[in-house]
Amino acid sequence: MNGGAIRASGSEVVLGLDGGATSTVCVCIPLPPLLDHQNLPDPLPLLARAVGGCSNYNSVGEKAAKETLEQVITEVLTISGSSRYAVHAVCLGVSGVNHPSDQEMILNWLREIFPSHVKVYVQNDAIAALASGTMGKLHGCVLVAGTGSIAYGFSEDGEEARAAGGGPILGDWGSGYGIAAQALTAVIRAYDGRGPQTMLTGRILKALGLSSPDEIIGWTYVDRSWARIAALVPEVVSCAEAGDQIAHDILVEAVKELALSVKAVVERLRLCGEDRNGSFPIVMVGGVLETERTWDIGKEVVKYIQKLYPGAQPIRPKVEPAVGAALLACNFLMKESEANNHS
């Protein structure tokens, strides 16, 4: 690259989307003539950004998920002054992509939205999150802990592995939902006599505008949004900081679960090397890991992991996962171009 800047190839653009359980972000960047991980401009040129609702079809259904994708794509192209014909490639990192059939269904949605010349890629949102920390390179491990949680990793030779990420019903413990659900359970247990009293009761009732713990049951089931429950994590952190043992124990257990997810990926991919001291990046993404409070979940997870793997290098991404998805699309384009040249 000349001058350390990405230059648009004509008016062509690349779109990156991050579809999580809470919101969907779409960004538009100019198509670079060359992607050089060592010489990317800082900051990256961003032509436009748009935000919509949840696009995880497991949470909101196929119709609503597809409508959200169409909405943010239309909005970001309008803001950037581009058309769908100007798009060279689009990469969507979305939660809920757990099987090739999930991937193919969403690929078909994107193919309906874009002209046939557009390259479309669909990945789990954790892969886009990893790319946001490594600037498009797929190596190392990412830990995502927001409404849900997942660990995902790639070895240098392209082998991949994941842990957790099964959603709230199958136990995304350590996630925002997992932490808050345990707090709500603790409040109910304290109320009916099965568990000790906890500061969480007063804090959560105030946060929800309720007058009695028995109202929590109705509040919980009137709206099944996982993100609505996960939003209570700050109350749990506040209670732990104030010395509440129940809240403290919930967070300690969350740290262990998140670190265990990373450990599972690192061991399967042998990222730490034979001597277990090898260096590898661990990208930390998600609201649960970014509290910057006295009781800092992210810092505690890093400490836990580095005791196991001294070579683990924590990375807090400079760009958001949607930009990571756009860089991933560029990376895929570069690899396809190299493969075509070789053939």
Side-chain angles (χ1 to χ4, degrees), residues 207-322:
L208 301 181
L210 303 177
S211 57
S212 173
D214 57 4
E215 295 177 30
I216 288 177
I217 298 173
W219 177 88
T220 300
Y221 292 106
V222 73
D223 180 348
R224 301 297 181 92
S225 166
W226 312 121
R228 181 169 163 263
I229 292 174
L232 293 170
V233 168
E235 308 304 328
V236 185
V237 175
S238 293
C239 289
E241 290 174 341
D244 184 81
Q245 190 63 45
I246 300 297
H248 173 82
D249 291 347
I250 289 172
L251 296 185
V252 168
E253 190 60 30
V255 168
K256 290 180 181 177
E257 288 289 342
L258 293 171
L260 184 62
S261 296
V262 172
K263 180 176 183 288
V265 170
V266 171
E267 294 290 336
R268 283 166 63 189
L269 297 178
R270 301 170 297 282
L271 293 176
C272 54
E274 294 298 326
D275 62 0
R276 305 180 69 79
N277 289 315
S279 176
F280 63 91
I282 172 167
V283 179
M284 311 283 286
V285 175
V288 169
L289 304 175
E290 299 164 0
T291 56
E292 295 185 355
R293 303 276 295 265
T294 303
W295 215 119
D296 192 312
I297 299 170
K299 285 183 180 178
E300 293 301 317
V301 171
V302 168
K303 280 198 288 186
Y304 198 114
I305 293 168
Q306 288 184 325
K307 283 182 181 178
L308 298 171
Y309 312 110
Q313 302 293 322
I315 295 174
R316 301 282 184 171
K318 293 182 179 180
V319 299
E320 62 183 327

Side-chain angles (χ1 to χ4, degrees), residues 5-320:
I6 291 182
R7 301 187 310 276
S9 175
S11 59
E12 291 181 304
V13 297
V14 173
L15 302 187
L17 291 98
D18 172 41
T22 305
S23 63
T24 301
V25 178
C26 181
V27 300
C28 177
I29 67 172
L31 173 67
L34 172 68
L35 187 64
D36 180 354
H37 295 291
Q38 305 302 317
N39 195 29
L40 286 168
D42 186 14
L44 283 164
L46 197 65
L47 300 177
R49 181 180 186 273
V51 183
C54 173
S55 55
N56 182 335
Y57 73 90
N58 292 315
S59 298
V60 297
E62 293 182 21
K63 183 174 183 290
K66 186 178 178 184
E67 287 175 352
T68 294
L69 292 178
E70 291 178 334
Q71 175 235 312
V72 294
I73 287 168
T74 299
E75 186 176 341
V76 86
L77 289 175
T78 300
I79 295 170
S80 67
S82 303
S83 74
R84 299 186 187 206
Y85 290 92
V87 178
H88 193 79
V90 55
C91 180
L92 167 62
V94 63
S95 59
V97 176
N98 302 309
H99 188 272
S101 61
D102 301 324
Q103 195 173 32
E104 189 58 35
M105 178 184 70
I106 300 172
L107 278 170
N108 287 335
W109 294 354
L110 293 176
R111 291 186 185 113
E112 290 176 14
I113 295 172
F114 291 99
S116 59
H117 74 274
V118 179
K119 298 281 189 178
V120 293
Y121 310 99
V122 173
Q123 302 288 338
N124 187 283
D125 62 334
I127 298 178
L130 174 62
S132 73
T134 60
M135 301 307 282
K137 184 180 180 183
L138 292 183
H139 171 246
C141 181
V142 63
L143 175 64
V144 182
T147 298
S149 65
I150 187 172
Y152 212 115
F154 287 82
S155 65
E156 289 280 15
D157 59 6
E159 186 182 356
E160 58 189 284
R162 62 174 282 173
I169 292 175
L170 296 178
D172 271 352
W173 308 126
S175 69
Y177 173 84
I179 291 169
Q182 289 186 60
L184 290 171
T185 300
V187 171
I188 296 299
R189 288 176 65 86
Y191 178 68
D192 65 20
R194 289 177 295 142
Q197 294 302 307
T198 169
M199 193 184 296
L200 288 165
T201 300
R203 289 288 181 93
I204 288 178
L205 288 178
K206 183 178 180 181
L208 301 181
L210 303 177
S211 57
S212 173
D214 57 4
E215 295 177 30
I216 288 177
I217 298 173
W219 177 88
T220 300
Y221 292 106
V222 73
D223 180 348
R224 301 297 181 92
S225 166
W226 312 121
R228 181 169 163 263
I229 292 174
L232 293 170
V233 168
E235 308 304 328
V236 185
V237 175
S238 293
C239 289
E241 290 174 341
D244 184 81
Q245 190 63 45
I246 300 297
H248 173 82
D249 291 347
I250 289 172
L251 296 185
V252 168
E253 190 60 30
V255 168
K256 290 180 181 177
E257 288 289 342
L258 293 171
L260 184 62
S261 296
V262 172
K263 180 176 183 288
V265 170
V266 171
E267 294 290 336
R268 283 166 63 189
L269 297 178
R270 301 170 297 282
L271 293 176
C272 54
E274 294 298 326
D275 62 0
R276 305 180 69 79
N277 289 315
S279 176
F280 63 91
I282 172 167
V283 179
M284 311 283 286
V285 175
V288 169
L289 304 175
E290 299 164 0
T291 56
E292 295 185 355
R293 303 276 295 265
T294 303
W295 215 119
D296 192 312
I297 299 170
K299 285 183 180 178
E300 293 301 317
V301 171
V302 168
K303 280 198 288 186
Y304 198 114
I305 293 168
Q306 288 184 325
K307 283 182 181 178
L308 298 171
Y309 312 110
Q313 302 293 322
I315 295 174
R316 301 282 184 171
K318 293 182 179 180
V319 299
E320 62 183 327

